[in-house]
Amino acid sequence: MLKSRLITIALLALSSAHVRAESFIGKVVGVSDGDTITVLHDLTPEKIRLNGIDCPEKKQDFGQRAKQFTSALVFAKQVKVTYQKRERYGRILGNVSIQGKDLSEELVRAGMAWHYRQYSKDAHLQELEDEAFEARRGLWSMPDPTPPWQFRKERKRK
């Protein structure tokens, strides 16, 4: 019995170490679009793709507004980046916070981003999107906004 408990504890310790989040604090030196920023980490620029959301593409309605919104909140400011992995393009897929506020949540709350349900099961992000939709904030003021993943898919077809 004791031996099986020790094995279970060891396995839990190994599995929790595997998903341990990394974090760093750095200055935002670039904003590519609403959901991608560049942060200096030990004097090295790191591209950060915000976790759990998808902002309109630059050429979409609200694409430039989402970029401006992100810039106004974080450009040239210190932020905390928390992440577990890099995505397929080599960018850090992470959460960014500034003065205790989560950037992804602020974008969704303002109607500048969709909760990216295909990759995120975050119930709070979904609640924020639902609230923005009900209030017709940001992109939800349009009659039928096109999600960016659909916009990208349609552009590939052409």
Side-chain angles (χ1 to χ4, degrees):
M1 182 75 164
L2 179 61
K3 185 177 179 180
S4 68
R5 264 196 171 164
L6 290 174
I7 291 171
T8 302
I9 291 170
L11 288 173
L12 287 172
L14 284 174
S15 67
S16 66
H18 179 14
V19 296
R20 197 173 105 207
E22 302 287 329
S23 67
F24 65 89
I25 294 174
K27 183 177 183 178
V28 177
V29 295
V31 177
S32 303
D33 55 31
D35 55 30
T36 307
I37 63 175
T38 302
V39 179
L40 279 183
H41 176 218
D42 294 332
L43 302 177
T44 302
E46 291 278 7
K47 282 256 189 196
I48 314 296
R49 171 66 169 82
L50 296 176
N51 189 35
I53 68 166
D54 203 2
C55 285
E57 297 293 321
K58 289 179 197 172
K59 295 187 178 189
Q60 276 188 277
D61 291 327
F62 283 89
Q64 288 300 322
R65 289 187 199 173
K67 180 180 178 179
Q68 291 166 350
F69 184 89
T70 297
S71 291
L73 283 179
V74 299
F75 185 71
K77 297 176 184 166
Q78 294 286 326
V79 297
K80 181 177 181 181
V81 178
T82 306
Y83 67 99
Q84 290 182 345
K85 65 179 181 175
R86 292 184 182 266
E87 41 95 270
R88 64 182 170 170
Y89 301 112
R91 301 175 295 189
I92 289 174
L93 183 61
N95 294 78
V96 173
S97 61
I98 181 163
Q99 298 175 339
K101 293 182 178 181
D102 183 272
L103 181 55
S104 295
E105 290 177 4
E106 295 303 312
L107 281 155
V108 174
R109 180 180 285 115
M112 296 293 152
W114 275 264
H115 171 218
Y116 208 171
R117 290 179 291 230
Q118 181 179 350
Y119 298 105
S120 168
K121 304 299 179 217
D122 187 323
H124 185 59
L125 283 176
Q126 189 57 54
E127 288 171 16
L128 292 171
E129 181 181 294
D130 293 343
E131 289 170 12
F133 174 81
E134 290 296 321
R136 299 288 183 239
R137 283 193 296 267
L139 61 92
W140 301 112
S141 65
M142 298 174 18
D144 190 21
T146 302
W149 54 88
Q150 186 177 334
F151 179 82
R152 291 187 293 267
K153 188 176 179 181
E154 289 170 4
R155 289 190 70 192
K156 276 186 183 180
R157 276 192 231 145
K158 294 178 182 178

